[in-house]
């Protein structure tokens, strides 16, 4: 049994190496120039952002015993993420994601996920003990739809963490390239039932709730037991709703966006880290929007993750 220090914030899900096209509208079904590899995976980006904001955070995941796995673990560890919950599988390769950007602002992904190490997460006894002792447990929807093995592991992790008093946060982070199987659907329902904090785009929240408008969707989940619903809105203002309060915070732009991938994950990590530090929701929202705005300024989904000092400096300069 692990009796050492346990991270206050935990997440579980994929760690990936990401390779991206250099030119916009460059198809993935033809030769072209590529950039990378970059450390990636939505939960990994979340953890990296949370750590750089000052959160005490760890990740439960799996990588291959290869160069991509070493790249990702080195980056996360150097930024302060506890990676002791990451298994290294000598039989499987580290998962990958290829992404191309379209001139209309959309992205297309090609994942090697389900059959890679990233899609075969298993909870060890030490992981379960960490989950019993954490204060916050964050879930990304793409981790559930990435593979049925991950969906089952995350559903169990939520039961353990929530059953021991942890606050569960959930970002649906829907990827059309990752199908919603029956196992994933059941796991998603379990996570939604346990989640106290929802961090979602407007369209995703409407889809999950079956409601027509973001306000109706937020009310549906608040009435169902959630304490906070945060509606992310791209370049528009972010809204935080509780049963008796609404806060609105403008999104932050600090320059030309180079790479939007990971912005929402950085927002999530900064927000949960700030809340875990006891900051008021308004302050946490301000930090999170700035972290999201700064994250898009560098090529690579984790490269723009900002420290708290960088966030504060950027806000003060504005």
């Amino acid at each position: 049994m692990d009796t050492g220090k346990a991270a206050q914030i935990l997440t579980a899900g994929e760690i990936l190496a990401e390779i991206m096209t250099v030119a916009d509208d460059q198809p993935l079904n033809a030769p072209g120039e590529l950039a990378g590899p970059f450390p990636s995976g939505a939960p990994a980006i979340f953890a990296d952002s949370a750590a750089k904001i000052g959160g005490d955070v760890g990740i439960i995941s799996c990588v291959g015993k290869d160069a991509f796995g070493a790249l990702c673990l080195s980056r996360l560890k150097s930024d302060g993420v506890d990676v002791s919950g990451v298994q290294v599988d000598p039989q499987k390769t580290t998962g990958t994601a290829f992404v191309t950007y379209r001139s209309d602002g959309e992205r297309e992904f090609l994942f090697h996920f389900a059959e890679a190490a990233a899609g075969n997460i298993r909870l060890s006894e030490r992981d379960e003990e960490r989950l019993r002792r954490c204060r916050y447990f964050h879930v990304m929807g793409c981790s559930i739809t990435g593979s049925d093995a991950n969906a089952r592991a995350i559903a169990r992790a939520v039961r353990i963490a929530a059953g021991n008093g942890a606050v569960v946060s959930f970002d649906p982070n829907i990827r059309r390239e990752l199908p919603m199987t029956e196992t994933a659907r059941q796991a998603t329902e379990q996570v939604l039932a346990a989640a106290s904090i929802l961090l979602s785009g407007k369209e995703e929240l409407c889809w999950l709730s079956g409601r027509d408008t973001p306000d109706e969707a937020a009310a549906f989940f608040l009435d169902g037991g959630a304490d906070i619903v945060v509606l992310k809105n791209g370049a528009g203002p972010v809204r935080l709703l509780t049963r008796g309060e609404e806060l609105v915070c403008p999104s932050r732009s600090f320059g030309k966006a180079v790479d939007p991938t990971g912005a929402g994950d950085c927002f999530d990590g900064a927000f949960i880290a700030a809340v875990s530090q006891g900051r008021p929701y308004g302050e946490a929202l301000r930090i999170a929007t700035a972290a999201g705005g700064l994250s898009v300024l560098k090529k690579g989904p984790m490269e723009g993750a900002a420290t708290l000092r960088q966030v504060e400096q950027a806000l003060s300069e504005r």
Side-chain angles (χ1 to χ4, degrees), residues 104-287:
D104 62 5
E106 294 297 314
R107 295 166 292 171
E108 294 180 10
F109 291 88
L110 191 160
F111 292 103
H112 172 54
F113 190 152
E115 300 304 321
N120 288 269
I121 295 171
R122 304 287 191 274
L123 298 183
S124 68
E125 290 185 8
R126 294 182 67 189
D127 294 333
E128 293 183 2
E129 180 60 20
R130 292 183 181 97
L131 288 160
R132 292 185 187 99
R133 295 161 63 187
C134 71
R135 290 178 51 214
Y136 296 86
F137 182 64
H138 183 72
V139 178
M140 289 288 188
C142 56
S143 302
I144 296 173
T145 54
S147 73
D148 283 353
N150 284 12
R152 289 188 287 268
I154 289 169
R156 175 163 176 76
V158 167
R159 289 195 296 272
I160 295 170
N164 286 272
V167 173
V168 175
S169 56
F170 181 49
D171 183 338
N173 202 28
I174 295 169
R175 291 276 179 262
R176 64 178 179 271
E177 295 87 354
L178 300 173
M180 179 71 76
T181 65
E182 179 60 22
T183 300
R185 184 191 64 78
Q186 292 178 9
T188 299
E189 290 179 354
Q190 292 180 46
V191 175
L192 284 169
S196 297
I197 301 174
L198 292 176
L199 302 153
S200 179
K202 297 185 297 182
E203 293 79 8
E204 293 173 323
L205 204 68
C206 289
W207 183 81
L208 286 171
S209 65
R211 299 305 190 265
D212 293 330
T213 69
D215 285 319
E216 291 173 343
F220 173 82
F221 287 113
L222 290 169
D223 290 343
D227 295 320
I228 302 169
V229 174
V230 176
L231 290 170
K232 296 182 282 187
N233 189 26
V238 180
R239 298 169 64 202
L240 183 151
L241 303 168
T242 69
R243 294 181 190 88
E245 182 181 25
E246 176 176 353
L247 301 175
V248 180
C249 184
S251 294
R252 313 285 179 177
S253 175
F254 300 101
K256 179 178 173 56
V258 174
D259 186 355
T261 300
D265 309 327
C266 286
F267 176 101
D268 294 351
F271 182 82
I272 297 300
V275 170
S276 76
Q277 295 163 355
R279 298 176 187 269
Y281 292 152
E283 184 179 355
L285 207 60
R286 185 169 176 264
I287 290 170

Side-chain angles (χ1 to χ4, degrees), residues 9-94:
I9 305 168
L10 275 181
T11 188
E14 70 277 10
I15 295 175
L16 306 172
E18 184 167 311
I19 297 96
M20 64 187 67
T21 60
V22 171
D24 288 349
D25 298 315
Q26 179 179 323
L28 291 174
N29 63 352
E33 189 175 355
L34 301 172
F38 296 104
S40 188
I45 301 167
F46 164 88
D48 195 78
S49 174
K52 295 185 82 168
I53 295 298
D56 178 15
V57 59
I59 185 170
I60 298 169
S61 188
C62 187
V63 298
K65 190 176 182 181
D66 53 32
F68 284 175
L71 165 77
C72 295
L73 291 183
S74 175
R75 173 59 183 274
L76 290 169
K77 189 173 181 179
S78 68
D79 284 345
V81 178
D82 178 1
V83 297
S84 59
V86 180
Q87 299 176 24
V88 179
D89 188 337
Q91 304 301 320
K92 293 186 180 294
T93 57
T94 299

Side-chain angles (χ1 to χ4, degrees), residues 282-304:
E283 184 179 355
L285 207 60
R286 185 169 176 264
I287 290 170
T289 54
L294 289 168
S295 72
V296 304
L297 302 182
K298 293 183 179 180
K299 184 76 75 174
M302 203 182 287
E303 305 311 299

